[in-house]
Amino acid sequence: FLYKESIFLHDMKVRGKQFETIWLKPGDPEIVQVIDQRFLPFEFRIEDIGTAEEMVTAIRDMHVRGAPLIGVAGAFGLYLAVLKIQGHDEMDSRIRKAAIMLKTARPTAVNLSWAVDRVLLEIERAVSIGEKKAKALETALQILGEERASCRKIGEHGLRIIEEISRSKAGQPVNILTHCNAGWLACVDYGTATAPVYLAHDAGIKIHMVVDETRPRNQGARLTCWELQQHGIPYTLVVDNAGGHMMQRNMIDLVLVGSDRTSPYGDVVNKIGTYLKALAARDNHIPFYAALPSSSIDWNLNEGAYGTPIEERDGYEVRHMEGMVDEAHAELLIVPENTTVLNYGFDITPARLVTGLITEKGVTGANYESIMKLFQKT
C-alpha cells in the first residue's frame, strides 16, 4: 500500500503526465528512480539508482537537489545500502558507514542528515536482515509521504497570504519574486515556496512570478521557469541583481523563498543571494517569507544560525555555463582560464529580515517564541 501511495498520488505534471521527483521502479522495488535534473529544461530524463554509492553521487552532483528531496533521497539511499548486505558480519557498522557517506554528500541542508538518521534508528532497532530491509523501506516511504503532505499544507497556509495581497490589489496580478528553485523539483511534490503559488493559480488568483536566474547553476532559469511553464503560470526571468531595482519601482508585492536549514530563532539558510533579496525587501517594505517543512528546522542551531556548515562547491560551476548549442548540450568557459573562484552555495538571512515562516503547521513569526509555540516545543 505504501509503495502504491508513493507512486500514484501526484499533483504536478510534465507534458500532461503526472510525476513526482523520486519513486520506486514499478515491478522492481530494489531500484529507485529519480528525475535527473541536470538535463532540464532541455531533456527530461529518468535515472535508475541501485546502490547507496550511486545515490551519494546523485545527491552530491545534483542529479537531485532541494532540501526536502535530498532528505528523501538519502532515506532511500540507506534502504539501498541495506539491500546489498548479504550476511551478519559487521552488518551494523557497514550500515552506519553508509549513513555517514550519505549525510556528507551535501552538508548544508539539514533534511539529509535528519532523514538518514531516522531510517538508521529504525534499522538498528530491527534484528534480522529481513526486518532491517523492511524497516528501511517502510521508513523511507513514510518520509516521502510526510514530505509530500507537508508541502501541500505549506501551500494551503501560504495561499492565505497571496489571497490577502490579491484582495488589496483588487484582483490585479500578485507579483511574487522567488530565488533559486523551491518548487516540486526540490521536493517530492508541490514544492515549498511554489506550493502557495500553484494553489493560488488553481484557485483563479492572478499570479505573476518573477524568477531569479540564480547563478551559478541557474536553478531559477532552468528549473523554476520550466516548472511554472508546465503549470501554465505567467513568469518573467530576471538576472539575480534585478530584484532590488524592481522592488524600488513597485514591481514586486511579495518575496517567497525556500530554506535548506532554519534555526528555531527564525534565521534562514538558503541559496546564496537570498540574504541580499531580504535586505532589499526590508528596505522597500515588501513582505519576505520563507516556506519550509519542519524537517528543515535544525533545533540545535543557535540564534544567527551559527554552526551551519556552508557548502563550498567546485569553481567549475562558476567558470562555465551550460546550455544548448546547435541542439546539443554544451558547457562553455565564460572567464579567463585558471580564474580563482570562491563558490559558496548558501548564505544566512537573519530572522530580523524575515517577515514569517510558512510551515506545514501554519504561518509563524520568525522568532523563537512563536516557532516553539507553533511546534509545541519546550
Side-chain angles (χ1 to χ4, degrees):
F1 173 78
L2 284 170
Y3 171 71
K4 290 182 178 179
E5 181 183 46
S6 72
I7 295 297
F8 295 112
L9 294 183
H10 308 287
D11 185 64
M12 301 299 105
K13 294 182 179 180
V14 179
R15 299 167 189 161
K17 184 178 179 181
Q18 293 175 324
F19 273 96
E20 291 184 348
T21 53
I22 186 169
W23 62 93
L24 292 177
K25 186 175 183 178
D28 188 356
E30 295 192 3
I31 296 292
V32 177
Q33 293 187 302
V34 300
I35 296 172
D36 190 337
Q37 299 182 31
R38 294 173 298 168
F39 301 98
L40 290 172
F42 314 113
E43 297 178 61
F44 184 78
R45 293 191 187 181
I46 294 172
E47 180 181 9
D48 287 358
I49 298 175
T51 68
E53 290 77 12
E54 291 174 355
M55 188 64 80
V56 168
T57 298
I59 295 170
R60 183 190 61 231
D61 295 345
M62 297 177 71
H63 308 197
V64 294
R65 27 79 39 218
L69 175 55
I70 66 173
V72 175
F76 276 114
L78 198 55
Y79 157 68
L80 292 174
V82 178
L83 287 181
K84 302 304 178 184
I85 294 176
Q86 301 299 324
H88 284 79
D89 293 343
E90 299 181 346
M91 176 173 56
D92 288 339
S93 65
R94 289 163 61 190
I95 294 172
R96 284 192 289 270
K97 286 179 182 178
I100 292 171
M101 177 179 66
L102 286 159
K103 290 194 291 183
T104 55
R106 294 199 70 194
T108 299
V110 73
N111 305 64
L112 182 55
S113 57
W114 167 82
V116 171
D117 284 341
R118 180 170 159 184
V119 177
L120 181 61
L121 179 63
E122 294 300 324
I123 290 171
E124 291 183 335
R125 286 174 174 169
V127 178
S128 69
I129 293 178
E131 288 176 313
K132 290 180 183 293
K133 291 178 180 179
K135 272 296 180 183
L137 178 58
E138 178 185 343
T139 309
L141 289 169
Q142 285 175 346
I143 292 171
L144 181 148
E146 289 169 9
E147 293 293 68
R148 181 202 300 114
S150 290
C151 285
R152 172 74 189 194
K153 291 176 182 176
I154 287 170
E156 292 169 355
H157 294 304
L159 172 60
R160 297 166 191 163
I161 296 170
I162 297 175
E163 286 175 331
E164 184 176 341
I165 296 173
S166 177
R167 284 194 294 269
S168 72
K169 296 188 69 176
Q172 291 299 306
V174 179
N175 298 299
I176 302 173
L177 174 70
T178 192
H179 188 66
C180 196
N181 173 260
W184 70 271
L185 287 169
C187 305
V188 176
D189 212 341
Y190 302 105
T192 52
T194 59
V197 174
Y198 289 131
L199 294 187
H201 173 78
D202 292 347
I205 297 174
K206 293 180 180 178
I207 299 289
H208 174 246
M209 294 296 293
V210 178
V211 181
D212 284 347
E213 59 181 350
T214 322
R215 285 279 292 145
R217 293 187 67 98
N218 293 319
Q219 295 103 315
R222 295 179 60 171
L223 303 179
T224 303
C225 289
W226 180 80
E227 275 194 39
L228 295 171
Q229 190 177 85
Q230 293 292 320
H231 207 81
I233 297 175
Y235 67 89
T236 299
L237 176 68
V238 298
V239 298
D240 285 355
N241 289 324
H245 171 72
M246 296 181 73
M247 292 181 202
Q248 287 178 326
R249 298 171 75 89
N250 298 316
M251 299 171 71
I252 305 295
D253 301 307
L254 171 67
V255 181
L256 276 180
V257 300
S259 174
D260 289 83
R261 186 183 296 235
T262 298
S263 82
Y265 296 86
D267 310 289
V268 174
V269 184
N270 195 49
K271 178 68 179 180
I272 193 77
T274 303
Y275 172 49
L276 296 179
K277 291 302 183 303
L279 283 170
R282 173 56 62 91
D283 191 48
N284 290 279
H285 310 289
I286 294 168
F288 176 100
Y289 284 89
L292 57 130
S294 56
S295 57
S296 294
I297 300 176
D298 185 347
W299 299 102
N300 297 314
L301 277 183
N302 295 321
E303 188 172 4
Y306 301 115
T308 299
I310 300 297
E311 181 180 0
E312 293 185 39
R313 296 187 59 80
D314 196 312
Y316 186 91
E317 295 178 344
V318 179
R319 296 187 196 99
H320 296 77
M321 288 192 72
E322 296 180 68
M324 292 291 285
V325 178
D326 296 329
E327 298 185 356
H329 183 266
E331 295 183 351
L332 303 175
L333 179 68
I334 61 171
V335 300
E337 289 190 50
N338 303 316
T339 296
T340 300
V341 172
L342 186 58
N343 185 13
Y344 289 117
F346 302 88
D347 60 24
I348 301 172
T349 299
R352 62 184 171 80
L353 300 177
V354 180
T355 305
L357 307 177
I358 308 171
T359 78
E360 76 272 23
K361 296 285 188 180
V363 180
T364 179
N367 60 77
Y368 185 82
E369 292 76 17
S370 298
I371 293 170
M372 298 301 274
K373 181 178 180 181
L374 181 67
F375 288 94
Q376 298 181 340
K377 296 278 186 177
T378 57

